[in-house]
């Protein structure tokens, strides 16, 4: 498990609540880097975890490019991962809970969704799967998934996963866990939610004490992943801007 103590943190800002989450993603056509927003979701219970350090490194690299990064610590926010019966779109009494509406406001404004979490017992933590259930999947029914419909909130956005494990990647692969995670989480979420792409950066052997040189290497990789995502977002923004000019 990931228990390396790190002190670097970021505060999550707040956004106005969405009146309705079924809206067209607000990418816009402006290629100004400041309008490109990365929503970084951290799902680790220890405030000084290495997951938090990875998230901070990602955010710092994003901000250095001139793009915007917002960190949401699900534990600090007291996010409830339990999906309520009336939050399921198939039910006649369907409604969005206020905390979900607040999270959806952040998602709507983002061009990239970044999930940062440890792999425990071969799975993401409950708070991350709960975030998928209650936020990313809010109002998106099984019927729509079976029909191959695009998710109106997430279509075209980038999905980035930064994960850690105390074990090595070969160890996870030998037990089928790595392949299972990639198929059941990465590729599946990319497909059903209509993300433009899913990039997964995994950091293995994250145990205490962690060699400073290895910690620095991992943080550098998180920063590299951030810069690569920034490049993709800026390129796509320029393409949208060009198409808008040609059609005007």
């Amino acid at each position: 498990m990931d228990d390396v103590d790190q002190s670097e943190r970021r505060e999550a800002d707040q956004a106005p609540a969405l009146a309705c989450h079924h809206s067209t993603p607000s990418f816009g056509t402006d290629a100004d880097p400041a309008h490109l927003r990365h929503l970084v979701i951290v799902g680790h219970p220890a405030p000084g975890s290495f997951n938090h350090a990875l998230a901070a490194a990602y955010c710092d690299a994003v901000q250095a490019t001139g793009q915007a990064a917002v960190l949401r610590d699900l534990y600090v926010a007291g996010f409830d991962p339990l999906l309520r019966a009336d939050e399921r779109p198939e039910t006649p009494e369907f409604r969005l809970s206020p905390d979900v509406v607040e999270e959806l406001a952040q998602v709507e404004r983002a061009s990239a969704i970044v999930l940062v979490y440890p792999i425990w017992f071969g799975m993401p933590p409950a708070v991350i799967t709960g975030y998928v259930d209650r936020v990313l999947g809010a109002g998106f029914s099984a019927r729509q998934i079976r029909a191959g419909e695009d998710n109106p909130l997430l279509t075209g956005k980038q999905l980035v996963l930064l994960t850690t494990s105390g074990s090595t990647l070969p160890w996870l692969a030998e037990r089928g866990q790595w392949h299972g995670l990639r198929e059941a989480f990465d590729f599946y979420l990319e497909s059903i939610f209509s993300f433009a792409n899913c990039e997964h950066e995994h950091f293995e052997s994250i145990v205490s004490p962690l060699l400073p040189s290895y910690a620095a290497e991992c943080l550098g990789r998180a920063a590299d992943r951030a810069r690569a995502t920034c490049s993709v977002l800026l390129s796509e923004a320029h393409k949208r801007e060009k198409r808008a000019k040609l059609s005007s």
Side-chain angles (χ1 to χ4, degrees):
M1 292 187 181
D2 167 23
D3 58 359
V4 178
D5 185 26
Q6 297 286 338
S7 60
E8 201 164 1
R9 300 286 303 281
R10 293 291 182 278
E11 293 297 328
D13 68 356
Q14 299 298 319
L18 282 177
C20 177
H21 71 283
H22 287 294
S23 57
T24 302
S26 53
F27 293 128
T29 57
D30 191 345
D32 183 348
H35 296 168
L36 300 173
R37 188 179 180 91
H38 302 241
L39 177 60
V40 183
I41 304 295
V42 182
H44 194 292
S49 74
F50 196 64
N51 278 250
H52 285 85
L54 290 169
Y58 185 99
C59 289
D60 287 345
V62 167
Q63 292 164 349
T65 71
Q67 296 185 23
V70 176
L71 187 145
R72 297 287 285 172
D73 185 325
L74 295 180
Y75 282 93
V76 169
F79 179 77
D80 183 358
L82 299 180
L83 180 71
R84 297 170 176 81
D86 59 5
E87 290 177 336
R88 302 179 67 228
E90 295 87 355
T91 60
E93 61 273 19
F94 168 71
R95 65 181 181 86
L96 293 176
S97 299
D99 63 330
V100 172
V101 171
E102 181 181 350
E103 295 298 332
L104 287 171
Q106 296 283 0
V107 172
E108 184 189 38
R109 298 166 63 194
S111 302
I113 309 297
V114 185
L115 303 181
V116 186
Y117 59 89
I119 294 174
W120 287 339
F121 308 110
M123 298 177 290
V127 75
I128 290 293
T129 56
Y131 183 86
V132 173
D133 288 347
R134 298 191 65 219
V135 179
L136 298 186
F140 198 56
S141 69
R143 179 195 59 77
Q144 290 172 292
I145 293 173
R146 290 194 302 270
E149 295 182 19
D150 288 341
N151 184 295
L153 185 69
L154 302 173
T155 297
K157 296 180 189 283
Q158 296 290 318
L159 176 63
V160 178
L161 308 180
L162 304 181
T163 61
T164 62
S165 64
S167 56
T168 65
L169 194 55
W171 190 91
L172 290 172
E174 286 172 6
R175 286 152 182 80
Q177 291 177 310
W178 184 246
H179 178 73
L181 280 170
R182 293 281 283 166
E183 289 292 335
F185 207 71
D186 303 19
F187 303 141
Y188 187 67
L189 293 186
E190 177 186 349
S191 172
I192 66 167
F193 288 146
S194 318
F195 283 108
N197 194 27
C198 176
E199 296 292 342
H200 192 154
E201 193 80 32
H202 183 68
F203 305 89
E204 61 182 342
S205 301
I206 304 300
V207 295
S208 184
L210 193 64
L211 288 175
S213 59
Y214 182 54
E217 175 190 330
C218 292
L219 296 175
R221 285 170 53 199
D224 287 342
R225 176 56 57 193
R227 286 186 283 268
T229 306
C230 288
S231 179
V232 170
L233 293 183
L234 189 59
S235 175
E236 290 302 313
H238 280 299
K239 290 178 183 177
R240 289 192 299 273
E241 190 174 57
K242 183 178 181 179
R243 286 195 296 267
K245 289 178 179 179
L246 290 175
S247 62
S248 62

